[in-house]
Amino acid sequence: MKRVRKAVFPVAGLGTRFLPATKAIPKEMLTVVDRPVIQYVVDEAREAGIEHFIFVTGRNKAVIEDHFDVQFELYDTLAQRGKDDQLARLQRLQPAPGQTSFTRQQVPMGLGHAVWCARELVGDEPFALLLPDMIMQSEKSCMKDMVELYAETGNNIIAVQECDPAEAHKYGIVGRGEDTHHGFRITQMVEKPKQGTAPSNLFINGRYILQPEIFGILESQERGAGNEIQLTDAMLKLQKKQPFYGYHYKGRTFDCGSPEGFVEANVAFALWRSDMNGSMAGVIRTLLDEVRPVERRGAAS
């Protein structure tokens, strides 16, 4: 059984839900408190022991590559000004030479196609897949627990969380089979099931460990929902040959691909910090008491 050493981050999305902010700035570079969204996701992978970070990018995403590069002028300026703590923090977040790779998804054809674009960089190894819109908040990273479950099972792993059963039709939902180790056997995968037909209320939260055989399936995968190559369709085919296991994640997940989730993440991570909790809690209470929605036409835009 090969160890999970590589992680794929599909970052080619246009971020249309955040326009006009994402007209010039990739949505992955929008900041939650003081770090870009993509940094949280990479840090989660690093905590899980990932050694090689593979980014599937698109046009106007070069700033992501710059973010994970060494900035000599900045480092030199911080050193000269005696800002050793800030410099040390940046250096801790800096991937080592050769740890990052970037490839292009020239045409937006869905998540399955983005994963397939990483095939040459992943090679014949199991790999982690982390959707950068989703960031997690917990004492132990979601991916770290998934890697431990993979070490026990040696097969495909999908992280899931509970949702309101009435909302299950909005998500990819799995069916739960027998428990095994600290996970369970997945019996079904359904993308946005019709209301009342979901096999459970466990939704896929954007974290996967997949075997490299998925690439051969994606190679010839027909387009599905939204006229895109869907990863779920390929996983369903792979499931006929290999088992899938679910990891029930119990922490918080924030969908930073939506304005509401992005704002929620900023509030939650600010409150999670000991140096900000006291002041931010007071600010939030004051705003709840004082601020009322603006009702004039066009206020939301």
Side-chain angles (χ1 to χ4, degrees):
M1 184 176 63
K2 295 181 179 179
R3 189 166 63 87
V4 181
R5 302 186 311 110
K6 299 180 179 181
V8 174
F9 306 88
V11 294
L14 298 176
T16 53
R17 287 185 287 179
F18 275 96
L19 287 170
T22 50
K23 184 179 179 182
I25 301 173
K27 63 178 180 177
E28 297 84 8
M29 290 302 295
L30 297 176
T31 54
V32 171
V33 186
D34 57 0
R35 283 191 289 170
V37 168
I38 188 63
Q39 184 70 61
Y40 286 89
V41 186
V42 169
D43 289 347
E44 179 186 342
R46 183 186 283 114
E47 184 182 337
I50 299 297
E51 301 170 355
H52 190 177
F53 311 101
I54 301 167
F55 300 86
V56 182
T57 70
R59 290 176 59 82
N60 301 320
K61 299 282 186 167
V63 68
I64 297 176
E65 189 168 353
D66 291 340
H67 174 72
F68 290 104
D69 199 0
V70 174
Q71 295 180 311
F72 294 103
E73 298 85 354
L74 174 61
Y75 288 9
D76 183 61
T77 299
L78 291 174
Q80 290 186 33
R81 295 180 179 178
K83 297 184 180 295
D84 297 333
D85 290 344
Q86 290 177 312
L87 178 58
R89 184 185 181 201
L90 289 176
Q91 290 174 333
R92 283 195 301 270
L93 297 175
Q94 181 72 51
Q99 278 194 317
T100 55
S101 297
F102 298 83
T103 187
R104 282 286 185 101
Q105 183 188 21
Q106 290 94 340
V107 182
M109 292 173 56
L111 176 59
H113 182 258
V115 172
W116 180 75
C117 288
R119 66 197 182 282
E120 297 294 338
L121 293 168
V122 172
D124 188 25
E125 298 185 38
F127 65 98
L129 171 64
L130 298 92
L131 304 192
D133 284 350
M134 314 298 284
I135 65 174
M136 314 300 204
Q137 187 184 67
S138 57
E139 292 296 331
K140 185 178 179 182
S141 86
C142 177
M143 184 54 64
K144 186 175 176 114
D145 268 340
M146 292 176 67
V147 167
E148 292 175 2
L149 178 58
Y150 170 79
E152 296 169 352
T153 64
N155 283 290
N156 305 279
I157 311 291
I158 299 177
V160 298
Q161 284 182 260
E162 295 178 359
C163 68
D164 183 338
E167 302 290 311
H169 65 284
K170 298 180 180 179
Y171 304 101
I173 301 293
V174 305
R176 180 166 190 153
E178 71 276 10
D179 290 343
T180 176
H181 304 286
H182 65 287
F184 63 90
R185 188 75 174 258
I186 289 177
T187 58
Q188 293 176 263
M189 286 180 274
V190 186
E191 189 65 37
K192 296 182 179 179
K194 293 181 180 180
Q195 283 187 296
T197 66
S200 74
N201 68 329
L202 296 174
F203 75 94
I204 300 171
N205 71 1
R207 299 292 186 269
Y208 312 77
I209 293 176
L210 298 172
Q211 295 293 328
E213 287 78 10
I214 195 75
F215 294 122
I217 296 172
L218 290 169
E219 180 86 34
S220 57
Q221 178 66 48
E222 297 180 355
R223 298 194 186 204
N227 198 32
E228 295 181 336
I229 297 174
Q230 297 292 337
L231 180 64
T232 302
D233 293 341
M235 291 194 300
L236 285 168
K237 291 181 179 179
L238 184 59
Q239 190 181 25
K240 295 177 181 178
K241 302 176 181 179
Q242 297 179 357
F244 276 72
Y245 292 89
Y247 165 66
H248 192 169
Y249 175 63
K250 300 295 180 66
R252 300 184 184 91
T253 299
F254 305 98
D255 180 5
C256 290
S258 71
E260 297 84 359
F262 177 73
V263 172
E264 183 183 359
N266 269 278
V267 172
F269 276 93
L271 292 174
W272 215 35
R273 286 177 47 161
S274 58
D275 62 328
M276 299 182 70
N277 178 278
S279 60
M280 287 305 304
V283 168
I284 292 169
R285 281 191 290 267
T286 299
L287 291 174
L288 286 172
D289 290 337
E290 296 180 356
V291 177
R292 296 291 180 270
V294 178
E295 297 178 356
R296 66 178 183 275
R297 182 176 297 179
S301 60

